[in-house]
Amino acid sequence: MAATSGYQAGIETNVVELSYLAESTWGSLDSDQFQAIRFTSESLKRTKTRQRPGEVPVNREAPAAVTTQIAAGGSVGFSLSYGTFDDWLAGLIGADWGSSQTINGSSGDITLTNLSSTTATLSSTTSGKFTNLTVGMWIRILGFTNSANNDFWLVTAKASAVSLTVRKATSGAPVTETPSGAAAKVRAQTIVNSTLFKSFYLQKKFSSSLWLRYPGCYITRGTLQGSVGAFLSGSFDIFAKDEEKATSDASTGSILAAPTGRVHDPVSGWRGCYFAGVTSGATLTEFSLTFENTAANGEFGMGSESAAGVMPGYLMASGSFSAYFKDSTLYDRFTADTAAATSFISQDADNQAYVITLLNANIVNAEITAGGPNSAVIAKYTFEGNPASTGGTVQIDKLPAS
């Protein structure tokens, strides 16, 4: 029996594919393979600004309008998964990811030494073993026999290239141990906002012969949120030079498949909120983060409807979280205007994790309210990110599972 044809009035969303290519020159298409991106929704479109002369209409007819500006853009929604949006995060905060740190033991040369219930010294007998690990970086330690040692750790001090002081993220005191052979592993990769300008060339596929292209895409804003019963999700806001119709794929060769990491869930994947590596002690019901390149916009000039360039703006970070109210610890941080590196840790079902940190954040508002009978008192804290004294507003650490 032959399949039925002609049953659809139009193209369904399930066949739409977004892919991108990093631009070497703003608004220009390079010859290279595009990378597919996973998304939950998108609103990319072309927009026109139309103007009319300001003449007095003696005949009671509005003067004819002309197009003075053309641009494109919109929002791309996503669910957080490991490795999928690393390029876009780099574009949002204007930086390059640091080199992936894959540090393995050799002949039992890595030792973790207990200092307290939450801190330890990570040392090595091999010269320069930890040269590329720096204070403020989150790392993952693996391969120890004692499970309490296998955790996320914040580097709080560095005595030398072979000796670090580290603070663990979760409960369970570290145990002094020197794994044998190459068992011990340290993993890290970090990005901190900077001044690099990064743009992308996007394309949207509807069918093999129907495409829309978006040159000169600049990510102006990014959000991430999670809550009870909801997977971690967010969106990227994009300014583009234009929207162009095409009948073919712009990719040189097949489009690269999107990463397949599983979406971060709010139960087993949620590892908590931390101030300077110390747990907040609160049970969160929701959180949200916003990173925005404030005042980013197109640069328009006479003689062309399209933008001649892009103003990248300046990065601002903010957020909020709600938690069950049980004591005044967080409220005291608010009233004392206590600033701290504020981190949120989430991992997927395969234990691949991100740590997202506002390097110098202040709680600027605290709402502690009784919403009604037979319900918990919930406190909502709003915070702002500011530059750290050593530089940087936002840091993201990418920590693999092995």
Side-chain angles (χ1 to χ4, degrees):
M1 179 178 174
T4 303
S5 63
Y7 65 94
Q8 288 182 309
I11 297 169
E12 63 176 298
T13 60
N14 292 343
V15 304
V16 176
E17 181 183 66
L18 284 180
S19 59
Y20 71 93
L21 182 68
E23 293 180 335
S24 58
T25 302
W26 180 73
S28 298
L29 176 61
D30 294 330
S31 179
D32 206 343
Q33 281 182 284
F34 275 60
Q35 171 69 62
I37 193 82
R38 293 158 62 178
F39 68 101
T40 56
S41 63
E42 60 87 15
S43 60
L44 299 173
K45 62 180 180 180
R46 192 186 208 205
T47 57
K48 293 182 178 181
T49 299
R50 304 271 292 175
Q51 301 286 351
R52 299 179 187 273
E55 293 182 328
V56 176
V58 295
N59 58 1
R60 299 187 66 246
E61 292 180 331
V66 298
T67 298
T68 57
Q69 291 183 5
I70 290 176
S75 181
V76 176
F78 68 90
S79 293
L80 183 64
S81 57
Y82 189 81
T84 306
F85 309 100
D86 291 353
D87 289 344
W88 288 27
L89 290 169
L92 172 63
I93 67 173
D96 284 326
W97 284 91
S99 298
S100 177
Q101 300 302 307
T102 305
I103 302 170
N104 297 321
S106 177
S107 301
D109 65 335
I110 294 178
T111 298
L112 190 73
T113 304
N114 171 277
L115 295 178
S116 72
S117 61
T118 59
T119 61
T121 297
L122 182 68
S123 60
S124 175
T125 56
T126 300
S127 177
K129 194 79 169 184
F130 306 133
T131 296
N132 296 325
L133 302 182
T134 59
V135 173
M137 179 183 289
W138 284 87
I139 63 175
R140 188 169 211 155
I141 297 177
L142 301 161
F144 283 69
T145 301
N146 192 286
S147 60
N149 294 339
N150 300 317
D151 202 349
F152 304 109
W153 297 78
L154 175 67
V155 179
T156 59
K158 184 173 184 178
S160 68
V162 294
S163 180
L164 309 172
T165 302
V166 292
R167 182 192 300 277
K168 74 190 307 283
T170 56
S171 60
V175 176
T176 299
E177 181 184 349
T178 303
S180 61
K185 300 177 183 179
V186 180
R187 300 290 185 261
Q189 189 173 18
T190 299
I191 187 171
V192 179
N193 65 284
S194 186
T195 58
L196 298 180
F197 179 83
K198 294 175 175 286
S199 64
F200 304 95
Y201 197 111
L202 268 63
Q203 63 175 1
K204 180 164 49 175
K205 177 185 178 181
F206 297 98
S207 71
S208 60
S209 60
L210 184 57
W211 304 71
L212 289 174
R213 298 180 181 179
Y214 301 88
C217 290
Y218 177 61
I219 300 176
T220 60
R221 184 173 183 265
T223 67
L224 179 68
Q225 55 271 333
S227 63
V228 174
F231 287 86
L232 270 64
S233 63
S235 64
F236 293 101
D237 289 355
I238 295 171
F239 169 86
K241 183 177 181 180
D242 202 353
E243 176 185 76
E244 303 169 352
K245 188 177 75 171
T247 58
S248 62
D249 186 356
S251 179
T252 302
S254 301
I255 296 172
L256 299 171
T260 58
R262 290 192 274 185
V263 175
H264 288 223
D265 71 73
V267 184
S268 61
W270 179 248
R271 299 298 299 271
C273 172
Y274 298 82
F275 300 114
V278 179
T279 179
S280 66
T283 300
L284 273 62
T285 59
E286 59 85 26
F287 84 99
S288 65
L289 297 170
T290 298
F291 305 137
E292 183 167 6
N293 289 311
T294 303
N297 56 76
E299 297 175 303
F300 293 89
M302 296 177 67
S304 176
E305 300 167 331
S306 299
V310 179
M311 287 289 291
Y314 56 94
L315 183 67
M316 291 186 66
S318 61
S320 68
F321 64 84
S322 296
Y324 290 102
F325 182 71
K326 61 180 181 179
D327 58 44
S328 64
T329 302
L330 296 179
Y331 184 80
D332 291 343
R333 297 185 69 90
F334 160 60
T335 56
D337 205 18
T338 303
T342 303
S343 303
F344 299 86
I345 305 180
S346 177
Q347 66 182 22
D348 64 16
D350 296 314
N351 297 321
Q352 302 173 120
Y354 285 108
V355 184
I356 303 176
T357 302
L358 276 66
L359 292 171
N360 186 27
N362 294 73
I363 296 175
V364 296
N365 192 37
E367 301 175 23
I368 304 169
T369 57
N374 302 314
S375 61
V377 175
I378 297 294
K380 182 174 182 179
Y381 302 97
T382 303
F383 52 91
E384 65 179 17
N386 295 297
S389 59
T390 54
T393 300
V394 176
Q395 175 177 307
I396 303 173
D397 293 278
K398 182 181 178 184
L399 304 175
S402 61

